[in-house]
Amino acid sequence: GQNIDQPTEMTATEGAIVQINCTYQTSGFNGLFWYQQHAGEAPTFLSYNVLDGLEEKGRFSSFLSRSKGYSYLLLKELQMKDSASYLCAVRGGYGGSQGNLIFGKGTKLSVKP
Amino acid sequence: DGGITQSPKYLFRKEGQNVTLSCEQNLNHDAMYWYRQDPGQGLRLIYYSQIVNDFQKGDIAEGYSVSREKKESFPLTVTSAQKNPTAFYLCASSFRTAAYEQYFGPGTRLTVT
């Protein structure tokens, strides 16, 4: 079967660093995405990894290890506005439905003052 | 401004009625998707379309129908056969199914009583 696991909730302090983990088991792999979703709003794209290693984009970084089926999203210098759900999604292989995204249940991050 | 629009933001219907959710994009994207989001669940794919006049069932298509008569539009009908229609519905699009990211609309929250 196909499965994506991420913690349900996390809490962190403003100004701190937080790491949100994602593990996946899918029949194919053609990239991993992280999205941010504020309550009641649309998900917005944060990052994309298809090769092993770290991708940095401002305060946000994302890491991928394909051999371990593992990714994490690192948020630095946390701000109150970072309170949101963070969705991990894996794209299967090319062709037909295999190109579609499989989403995890999301990690709700609460940033405290 | 380019983007995806969904209307209305909130929709209320009586049980037994069909209801159609609108999704329009002016991003010139070929592929469009419909997802359903329930509390504590990941996004689940209902239907997707890679090209005009063609669409495919996703993981939870039962009780739903779609059409793709124009590139810009991908309406979703929630029929009376859908057992649990109350949910947050998100439409998305991408340049190709193998493209790097999907862009999401603001969503429609449907409540059926």
Side-chain angles (χ1 to χ4, degrees), chain A residues 2 30 33 35 37 39-45 47-48 50 85 87 91 94-106, chain B residues 9 33 35 37 40-45 48 50 57-59 88 90 94 96-107 109:
Chain A
Q2 308 203 93
N30 188 31
F33 297 77
Y35 284 85
Q37 185 180 26
E41 298 183 8
T44 55
F45 170 77
S47 69
Y48 170 72
V50 67
S85 289
L87 313 181
R91 168 171 284 136
Y94 288 103
S97 64
Q98 293 180 338
N100 293 330
L101 293 180
I102 306 159
F103 283 85
K105 294 182 179 181
Chain B
K9 179 71 173 174
Y33 312 81
Y35 293 93
Q37 189 173 37
Q41 299 257 9
L43 272 67
R44 292 183 290 169
L45 184 65
Y48 66 100
Q50 299 180 2
K57 292 181 179 180
D59 300 318
F88 188 46
L90 287 159
S94 64
R96 296 272 192 275
T97 54
Y100 286 171
E101 63 188 272
Q102 294 182 9
Y103 295 81
F104 285 84
R109 188 166 297 278

Side-chain angles (χ1 to χ4, degrees), chain B residues 43-60:
Chain B
L43 272 67
R44 292 183 290 169
L45 184 65
I46 304 172
Y47 267 98
Y48 66 100
S49 169
Q50 299 180 2
I51 197 168
V52 174
N53 292 323
D54 185 59
F55 49 82
Q56 306 294 330
K57 292 181 179 180
D59 300 318
I60 55 165

Side-chain angles (χ1 to χ4, degrees), chain B residues 36-86:
Chain B
R36 170 184 173 137
Q37 189 173 37
D38 297 282
Q41 299 257 9
L43 272 67
R44 292 183 290 169
L45 184 65
I46 304 172
Y47 267 98
Y48 66 100
S49 169
Q50 299 180 2
I51 197 168
V52 174
N53 292 323
D54 185 59
F55 49 82
Q56 306 294 330
K57 292 181 179 180
D59 300 318
I60 55 165
E62 186 174 348
Y64 299 98
S65 66
V66 293
S67 63
R68 187 86 187 277
E69 297 176 2
K70 298 187 299 182
K71 188 175 185 177
E72 303 79 17
S73 179
F74 191 41
L76 172 75
T77 297
V78 184
T79 75
S80 56
Q82 167 51 231
K83 292 184 172 61
N84 296 296
T86 295

Side-chain angles (χ1 to χ4, degrees), chain B residues 2 7 9 21-22 28 40 54 63 79 84 91 95-96 103 108:
Chain B
S7 60
K9 179 71 173 174
L21 311 184
S22 163
N28 198 33
D54 185 59
T79 75
N84 296 296
C91 179
F95 185 61
R96 296 272 192 275
Y103 295 81
T108 293

